[in-house]
Amino acid sequence: MTVGEVQRAYGARAAEYAQELGVMEAVAAPDRELVLSWAQTVTGPVLDVGCGPGHWTAYLHERGVDVTGIDPTPEFITLAQAAHPGIAFRDGRAERLDAPDGALGGVLAWYSLIHSEPAAATAALVEFARALRPGGELLLGFFEGPVFEPFDHAITTAYRWPVDALSTVVQYAGFTVTETYTRTDPGVRPHGAIIATRNPAHRGGVTGVRRRPGGS
């Protein structure tokens, strides 16, 4: 899927998406706890990449996090600005963050790469590493599965990843993976999350990974 195709697919259903999923009440409690606990350890500004209608950005901002939301879908940015006045939102893409080298303390990419094929996901992760300071933090949320494969997402084609395979890509992009999480709740697709720290230089290999298969 190209960025333009994904953008158009979400733009056509942005209002519906915001109504159904653009509120924190629609987010599982373990995910709220994981993202907030991660964000509160970050030193420096956080970029919420693929912020959609802005609910995660607002949630973190209201809890004292220096956060800006970006999204390539103009309809989402319009909805986010209307729903959360006074919070910073702007157009932006995962593979081109429009941030200086080393300017960020954290990148939240919560399901923002689910429509990206491996090459595009790798390019985005390399861009995250560029914009993060050495030691900066990445939190990546994704659909988890036993093999990398596409599936019919409600908006447009998405992909599920084995956690170890995506961890390897994250490491390749210039990070040390420190924690991984998987969770399967009744009636929903398996969930995965990766926490990683930006390396001063790429070292290769995934080491020091702590897994929590029981939940977030």
Side-chain angles (χ1 to χ4, degrees), residues 81-140:
Q81 291 170 336
H84 310 290
I87 299 176
F89 295 100
R90 61 176 174 83
D91 293 337
R93 296 166 55 168
E95 68 275 17
R96 192 171 64 244
L97 297 182
D98 193 24
D101 293 356
L104 301 176
V107 168
L108 174 64
W110 197 250
Y111 285 79
S112 56
L113 301 184
I114 61 171
H115 304 292
S116 299
E117 296 180 0
T122 302
L125 290 163
V126 169
E127 172 69 352
F128 297 167
R130 179 199 64 77
L132 282 165
R133 64 172 180 80
E137 298 288 335
L138 168 69
L139 174 51
L140 181 65

Coordinates of all heavy atoms in Angstrom, one line a residue, residues 81-140:
Q81 N -7.6 18.7 15.7 CA -7.5 20.1 16.1 C -8.9 20.6 16.6 O -8.9 21.3 17.6 CB -7.1 20.9 14.9 CG -5.6 20.7 14.5 CD -5.3 21.4 13.2 OE1 -6.1 21.6 12.4 NE2 -4.0 21.6 13.0
A82 N -10.0 20.1 16.1 CA -11.3 20.5 16.5 C -11.6 19.9 17.9 O -12.2 20.6 18.8 CB -12.4 20.2 15.5
A83 N -11.2 18.6 18.1 CA -11.6 17.9 19.3 C -10.6 18.3 20.5 O -11.0 18.2 21.6 CB -11.5 16.4 19.1
H84 N -9.4 18.7 20.1 CA -8.4 18.9 21.2 C -7.7 20.3 20.9 O -6.5 20.3 20.6 CB -7.4 17.8 21.2 CG -8.0 16.4 21.2 ND1 -8.7 16.0 22.3 CD2 -8.1 15.4 20.3 CE1 -9.1 14.7 22.1 NE2 -8.8 14.4 20.9
P85 N -8.4 21.4 21.1 CA -7.8 22.7 20.8 C -6.6 22.9 21.8 O -6.7 22.5 23.0 CB -8.9 23.7 21.0 CG -9.9 22.9 21.8 CD -9.8 21.5 21.5
G86 N -5.6 23.6 21.3 CA -4.5 23.9 22.2 C -3.4 22.9 22.2 O -2.4 23.0 22.8
I87 N -3.6 21.7 21.5 CA -2.7 20.7 21.4 C -2.1 20.7 20.0 O -2.8 20.9 19.0 CB -3.3 19.3 21.8 CG1 -3.8 19.3 23.2 CG2 -2.3 18.2 21.6 CD1 -4.5 18.1 23.6
A88 N -0.8 20.4 19.9 CA -0.1 20.5 18.6 C -0.4 19.3 17.7 O 0.0 18.2 18.1 CB 1.4 20.7 18.8
F89 N -0.9 19.6 16.6 CA -1.1 18.6 15.5 C -0.7 19.2 14.2 O -0.9 20.4 13.9 CB -2.6 18.2 15.4 CG -3.2 17.5 16.6 CD1 -3.9 18.2 17.5 CD2 -2.9 16.1 16.8 CE1 -4.4 17.6 18.6 CE2 -3.4 15.5 17.9 CZ -4.2 16.2 18.8
R90 N -0.1 18.3 13.3 CA 0.3 18.8 12.0 C 0.4 17.6 11.0 O 0.4 16.5 11.4 CB 1.7 19.5 12.0 CG 2.8 18.6 12.5 CD 4.1 19.4 12.4 NE 5.2 18.7 13.0 CZ 6.0 17.7 12.4 NH1 5.6 17.4 11.2 NH2 7.0 17.1 13.0
D91 N 0.3 18.0 9.8 CA 0.5 17.0 8.7 C 1.9 16.4 8.8 O 2.9 17.1 9.1 CB 0.3 17.6 7.3 CG -1.1 18.0 7.1 OD1 -2.0 17.5 7.7 OD2 -1.3 18.9 6.2
G92 N 2.0 15.1 8.6 CA 3.3 14.5 8.7 C 3.3 13.0 8.4 O 2.2 12.4 8.5
R93 N 4.4 12.5 7.9 CA 4.5 11.1 7.5 C 5.6 10.4 8.2 O 6.6 11.0 8.6 CB 4.7 11.0 6.0 CG 3.6 11.6 5.1 CD 4.0 11.8 3.7 NE 4.5 10.6 3.1 CZ 4.7 10.5 1.7 NH1 4.5 11.6 1.0 NH2 5.2 9.4 1.2
A94 N 5.4 9.1 8.5 CA 6.4 8.3 9.2 C 7.7 8.3 8.6 O 8.8 8.3 9.3 CB 5.8 6.9 9.4
E95 N 7.8 8.3 7.3 CA 9.1 8.2 6.6 C 9.7 9.6 6.3 O 10.8 9.6 5.8 CB 8.9 7.4 5.2 CG 8.1 8.2 4.2 CD 6.6 7.9 4.3 OE1 6.1 7.5 5.4 OE2 5.9 8.2 3.4
R96 N 9.0 10.6 6.8 CA 9.5 12.0 6.6 C 9.0 12.8 7.8 O 8.0 13.5 7.6 CB 9.2 12.6 5.3 CG 10.0 13.8 4.9 CD 9.8 14.3 3.5 NE 8.4 14.7 3.2 CZ 7.6 14.0 2.3 NH1 8.1 13.0 1.7 NH2 6.4 14.4 2.1
L97 N 9.6 12.8 8.9 CA 9.1 13.4 10.1 C 9.2 14.9 10.2 O 8.6 15.6 11.0 CB 9.8 12.8 11.3 CG 9.6 11.3 11.6 CD1 10.3 10.9 12.9 CD2 8.1 10.9 11.6
D98 N 10.0 15.5 9.3 CA 10.3 17.0 9.3 C 10.7 17.4 10.7 O 10.2 18.4 11.3 CB 9.0 17.7 8.9 CG 9.2 19.2 8.6 OD1 10.4 19.5 8.3 OD2 8.3 20.0 8.8
A99 N 11.7 16.7 11.3 CA 12.3 17.0 12.6 C 13.8 16.9 12.4 O 14.3 16.1 11.7 CB 11.8 16.0 13.7
P100 N 14.5 17.8 13.1 CA 16.0 17.8 13.0 C 16.6 16.5 13.5 O 15.9 15.8 14.4 CB 16.4 19.0 13.8 CG 15.2 19.9 13.9 CD 14.0 19.0 13.9
D101 N 17.8 16.2 13.1 CA 18.5 15.0 13.6 C 18.6 15.1 15.1 O 19.0 16.1 15.7 CB 19.9 14.9 13.0 CG 19.9 14.6 11.5 OD1 18.8 14.4 11.0 OD2 21.0 14.6 11.0
G102 N 18.2 14.0 15.8 CA 18.4 13.9 17.3 C 17.5 14.9 18.1 O 17.8 15.1 19.2
A103 N 16.4 15.4 17.5 CA 15.6 16.4 18.2 C 14.6 15.8 19.1 O 14.1 16.5 20.0 CB 14.9 17.3 17.1
L104 N 14.2 14.5 19.0 CA 13.1 13.9 19.7 C 13.6 13.1 20.9 O 14.7 12.4 20.8 CB 12.3 13.1 18.8 CG 11.6 13.8 17.6 CD1 10.9 12.8 16.7 CD2 10.7 14.9 18.1
G105 N 12.8 13.0 21.9 CA 13.1 12.1 23.0 C 12.4 10.8 22.8 O 12.9 9.8 23.3
G106 N 11.2 10.8 22.2 CA 10.5 9.6 22.0 C 9.6 9.6 20.7 O 9.2 10.7 20.3
V107 N 9.4 8.5 20.2 CA 8.5 8.3 19.1 C 7.5 7.2 19.4 O 7.8 6.1 19.8 CB 9.2 7.9 17.8 CG1 8.2 7.4 16.7 CG2 10.0 9.0 17.2
L108 N 6.2 7.6 19.4 CA 5.1 6.7 19.6 C 4.5 6.3 18.2 O 4.1 7.2 17.5 CB 4.0 7.3 20.5 CG 2.7 6.4 20.7 CD1 3.0 5.1 21.3 CD2 1.7 7.2 21.4
A109 N 4.6 5.1 17.8 CA 4.1 4.6 16.5 C 3.1 3.5 16.8 O 3.4 2.3 16.6 CB 5.3 4.1 15.6
W110 N 2.0 3.9 17.3 CA 1.0 3.0 17.8 C 0.1 2.6 16.7 O -0.9 3.3 16.3 CB 0.2 3.6 19.0 CG -0.6 2.6 19.8 CD1 -1.9 2.4 19.9 CD2 0.0 1.6 20.7 NE1 -2.2 1.4 20.7 CE2 -1.0 0.9 21.2 CE3 1.3 1.3 21.0 CZ2 -0.8 -0.2 22.1 CZ3 1.6 0.3 21.9 CH2 0.5 -0.4 22.4
Y111 N 0.3 1.4 16.1 CA -0.4 0.9 14.9 C -0.3 1.8 13.7 O -1.1 1.7 12.8 CB -1.9 0.7 15.3 CG -2.1 -0.5 16.1 CD1 -1.8 -0.5 17.5 CD2 -2.5 -1.7 15.6 CE1 -2.0 -1.6 18.3 CE2 -2.6 -2.9 16.3 CZ -2.3 -2.8 17.7 OH -2.5 -3.9 18.4
S112 N 0.7 2.7 13.6 CA 0.9 3.6 12.5 C 1.7 2.9 11.3 O 1.7 3.5 10.3 CB 1.6 4.9 13.0 OG 2.9 4.6 13.6
L113 N 2.3 1.8 11.5 CA 3.0 1.1 10.4 C 2.2 -0.2 10.0 O 2.8 -1.0 9.2 CB 4.4 0.7 10.8 CG 5.3 1.9 11.3 CD1 6.7 1.4 11.6 CD2 5.3 3.0 10.2
I114 N 1.0 -0.4 10.4 CA 0.3 -1.6 10.1 C 0.0 -1.8 8.6 O -0.2 -2.9 8.2 CB -1.0 -1.8 10.9 CG1 -2.0 -0.7 10.6 CG2 -0.6 -1.9 12.4 CD1 -3.3 -0.9 11.2
H115 N 0.0 -0.7 7.9 CA -0.3 -0.8 6.4 C 1.0 -0.8 5.6 O 0.9 -0.7 4.4 CB -1.2 0.3 6.0 CG -2.5 0.3 6.7 ND1 -3.5 -0.6 6.6 CD2 -3.0 1.2 7.7 CE1 -4.5 -0.3 7.4 NE2 -4.2 0.8 8.1
S116 N 2.1 -0.9 6.2 CA 3.4 -0.7 5.5 C 4.0 -2.1 5.3 O 4.2 -2.9 6.2 CB 4.4 0.1 6.4 OG 3.9 1.4 6.6
E117 N 4.4 -2.3 4.0 CA 5.2 -3.5 3.7 C 6.6 -3.4 4.3 O 7.0 -2.3 4.8 CB 5.3 -3.7 2.2 CG 3.9 -3.9 1.6 CD 4.0 -4.1 0.0 OE1 5.1 -4.0 -0.5 OE2 2.9 -4.2 -0.6
P118 N 7.4 -4.5 4.4 CA 8.6 -4.5 5.1 C 9.6 -3.3 4.7 O 10.2 -2.7 5.6 CB 9.2 -5.9 4.8 CG 8.0 -6.7 4.7 CD 7.0 -5.9 4.0
A119 N 9.7 -3.1 3.4 CA 10.7 -2.0 3.0 C 10.2 -0.7 3.5 O 11.0 0.1 4.0 CB 10.8 -2.0 1.5
A120 N 8.9 -0.4 3.4 CA 8.4 0.9 3.9 C 8.5 1.0 5.4 O 8.8 2.1 5.9 CB 7.0 1.1 3.4
A121 N 8.2 -0.1 6.1 CA 8.3 -0.1 7.6 C 9.8 0.1 8.0 O 10.0 0.9 8.9 CB 7.8 -1.4 8.1
T122 N 10.7 -0.5 7.3 CA 12.1 -0.3 7.6 C 12.5 1.2 7.4 O 13.2 1.8 8.2 CB 13.0 -1.2 6.7 OG1 12.6 -2.6 7.0 CG2 14.5 -1.0 7.1
A123 N 12.1 1.8 6.3 CA 12.4 3.2 6.0 C 11.9 4.1 7.1 O 12.5 5.0 7.5 CB 11.8 3.6 4.6
A124 N 10.6 3.8 7.5 CA 10.1 4.6 8.6 C 10.9 4.5 9.9 O 11.2 5.5 10.6 CB 8.6 4.2 8.8
L125 N 11.3 3.3 10.2 CA 12.0 3.0 11.5 C 13.4 3.7 11.4 O 13.9 4.2 12.4 CB 12.2 1.5 11.7 CG 10.9 0.8 12.1 CD1 11.0 -0.7 11.9 CD2 10.5 1.2 13.6
V126 N 14.0 3.7 10.2 CA 15.3 4.4 10.0 C 15.1 5.9 10.3 O 15.9 6.6 10.9 CB 15.9 4.1 8.7 CG1 17.1 5.0 8.3 CG2 16.4 2.6 8.6
E127 N 14.0 6.4 9.8 CA 13.7 7.8 10.0 C 13.4 8.1 11.4 O 13.9 9.2 11.9 CB 12.5 8.2 9.1 CG 11.9 9.6 9.4 CD 12.8 10.7 8.9 OE1 14.0 10.5 8.5 OE2 12.4 11.9 8.9
F128 N 12.8 7.2 12.1 CA 12.6 7.4 13.6 C 13.9 7.5 14.3 O 14.1 8.4 15.1 CB 11.8 6.3 14.2 CG 10.4 6.1 13.7 CD1 9.7 5.0 14.0 CD2 9.8 7.1 12.9 CE1 8.4 4.8 13.5 CE2 8.4 7.0 12.5 CZ 7.8 5.8 12.7
A129 N 14.8 6.6 13.9 CA 16.2 6.6 14.6 C 16.9 7.9 14.3 O 17.6 8.4 15.1 CB 17.0 5.4 14.1
R130 N 16.8 8.4 13.1 CA 17.5 9.7 12.7 C 17.0 10.8 13.6 O 17.8 11.6 14.1 CB 17.2 10.0 11.2 CG 17.8 11.3 10.8 CD 17.2 11.9 9.5 NE 15.8 12.2 9.7 CZ 15.4 13.4 10.3 NH1 16.3 14.2 10.8 NH2 14.1 13.6 10.4
A131 N 15.7 10.9 13.8 CA 15.1 12.0 14.5 C 15.2 11.9 16.0 O 15.1 12.9 16.7 CB 13.6 12.2 14.1
L132 N 15.5 10.7 16.5 CA 15.6 10.5 18.0 C 17.0 10.8 18.4 O 18.0 10.5 17.7 CB 15.3 9.1 18.3 CG 13.8 8.7 18.4 CD1 13.6 7.2 18.4 CD2 13.1 9.4 19.6
R133 N 17.1 11.4 19.6 CA 18.5 11.5 20.2 C 19.0 10.2 20.5 O 18.3 9.2 20.7 CB 18.4 12.4 21.5 CG 17.5 11.8 22.6 CD 17.6 12.5 23.9 NE 16.8 11.9 24.9 CZ 17.2 10.9 25.6 NH1 18.4 10.3 25.4 NH2 16.4 10.4 26.6
P134 N 20.4 10.0 20.6 CA 20.9 8.8 21.1 C 20.3 8.4 22.5 O 20.3 9.3 23.4 CB 22.4 9.0 21.2 CG 22.6 10.1 20.2 CD 21.4 11.0 20.2
G135 N 19.8 7.2 22.7 CA 19.1 6.9 23.9 C 17.7 7.2 23.9 O 17.0 6.9 24.9
G136 N 17.2 7.9 22.8 CA 15.7 8.1 22.7 C 14.9 6.9 22.6 O 15.5 5.8 22.3
E137 N 13.6 7.0 22.9 CA 12.8 5.8 23.0 C 11.8 5.7 21.9 O 11.2 6.7 21.5 CB 12.1 5.8 24.4 CG 13.0 5.8 25.6 CD 13.6 4.5 25.8 OE1 13.1 3.5 25.4 OE2 14.7 4.4 26.4
L138 N 11.5 4.4 21.5 CA 10.5 4.1 20.5 C 9.5 3.1 21.2 O 9.9 2.2 21.8 CB 11.1 3.4 19.3 CG 10.2 2.7 18.3 CD1 9.3 3.8 17.6 CD2 10.9 1.9 17.3
L139 N 8.2 3.4 20.9 CA 7.2 2.4 21.3 C 6.4 2.1 20.1 O 5.8 3.1 19.5 CB 6.3 2.9 22.4 CG 5.1 2.1 22.8 CD1 5.5 0.6 23.1 CD2 4.4 2.6 24.1
L140 N 6.3 0.9 19.7 CA 5.7 0.5 18.4 C 4.6 -0.5 18.7 O 4.8 -1.5 19.4 CB 6.8 -0.2 17.5 CG 6.4 -0.7 16.1 CD1 6.0 0.5 15.2 CD2 7.5 -1.4 15.5

